[in-house]
Amino acid sequence: MNNTEILNALNNRYACKEFDKNKKINDEDLNLILESGRLSPSSIGIEPWKFLVISNEDLKNELAAVALGGKKQIPSCSHLVILLNRAANDLKADSEYLNKLFNEDKHLPKEVADIMLKMIKDVNDNRFKNNEKEINHYSREQVYIALGTMLTTSALIGIDSCTIGGYDAKAVTKILSDRNLLDTNHFNISCMLALGYRNENPAPKTRRSFEDVVEFVK
């Protein structure tokens, strides 16, 4: 893919307001989008995300009823991805999650894993003062990096998307918890991502000029 093709894909990307219900994303493309999120960078490599991929029509309709910002997108999309972020307790240096992540999942030598865990302890102690609200915000910030990667990947392979942040968090949490899809001891809801194929012709993209946005310092 050359520069022009990349720019064309990004110019073609927009927040889709309604999807074509009859068009479904194939498994190969869907998995590529999800894999791009999994491979995203995160602060100190904490990877604090989980992706719930929902295609169940009843569940999508139930979620749409409590998501003002996704009333059209959620029922019509091919797949709804709910991006979750790790709760503050999982991001403490002595947590089971982080110790498994660095010692087992990443296959780091013990001395390196210990250094990473000490870095996290220092961040929590000094930057966040061990405030759970601040640590949760930090966790969500990392998930938005994964969201950006997934949006870009979707655009590059011709799949439309819409980020949805307008929802009743308590109601969505209850719906997912009641279905045993969300363990609130370990995860919080960050945002939603609707994926599918457009059912409308959007207006041409408008943005501020390159010169207004970019300043080179030499």
Side-chain angles (χ1 to χ4, degrees), residues 82-174:
I82 300 181
L83 290 85
L84 308 178
N85 67 279
R86 285 276 173 181
N89 283 337
D90 278 352
L91 298 182
K92 301 291 180 66
D94 60 354
S95 71
E96 180 182 348
Y97 168 69
L98 286 182
N99 277 271
K100 180 179 182 297
L101 177 70
F102 290 123
N103 286 290
E104 297 180 28
D105 298 336
K106 292 182 181 289
H107 308 292
L108 297 176
K110 186 179 185 306
E111 60 272 19
V112 176
D114 288 346
I115 291 171
M116 304 295 281
L117 291 169
K118 183 180 184 306
M119 289 173 62
I120 289 168
K121 186 178 187 307
D122 289 343
V123 168
N124 287 337
D125 290 347
N126 299 317
R127 179 180 172 187
F128 302 128
K129 310 300 181 186
N130 291 305
N131 182 296
E132 290 197 1
K133 185 177 180 180
E134 291 294 323
I135 296 172
N136 184 62
H137 180 71
Y138 166 67
S139 179
R140 288 189 71 192
E141 286 179 334
Q142 311 313 308
V143 173
Y144 273 84
I145 298 173
L147 170 66
T149 306
M150 294 164 75
L151 287 168
T152 301
T153 300
S154 300
L156 292 175
I157 61 175
I159 291 174
D160 293 302
S161 62
C162 184
T163 303
I164 300 167
Y167 54 84
D168 182 331
K170 288 184 179 179
V172 173
T173 297
K174 185 177 188 308

Side-chain angles (χ1 to χ4, degrees), residues 62-78:
E62 190 175 357
L63 291 168
V66 295
L68 184 63
K71 284 196 174 297
K72 289 185 177 181
Q73 295 94 328
I74 294 174
S76 63
C77 72
S78 172

Side-chain angles (χ1 to χ4, degrees), residues 7-50:
L7 287 175
N8 285 342
L10 295 177
N11 273 301
N12 189 54
R13 190 217 63 78
Y14 80 114
C16 190
K17 303 302 183 291
E18 187 169 6
F19 297 90
D20 186 337
K21 289 184 177 181
N22 298 315
K23 292 184 179 180
K24 301 299 180 182
I25 302 170
N26 64 52
D27 289 344
E28 182 180 3
D29 287 343
L30 177 64
N31 288 341
L32 176 61
I33 295 168
L34 298 168
E35 183 72 348
S36 75
R38 185 184 74 87
L39 294 173
S40 295
S42 60
S43 176
I44 321 179
I46 57 174
E47 303 178 36
W49 42 62
K50 180 177 180 179

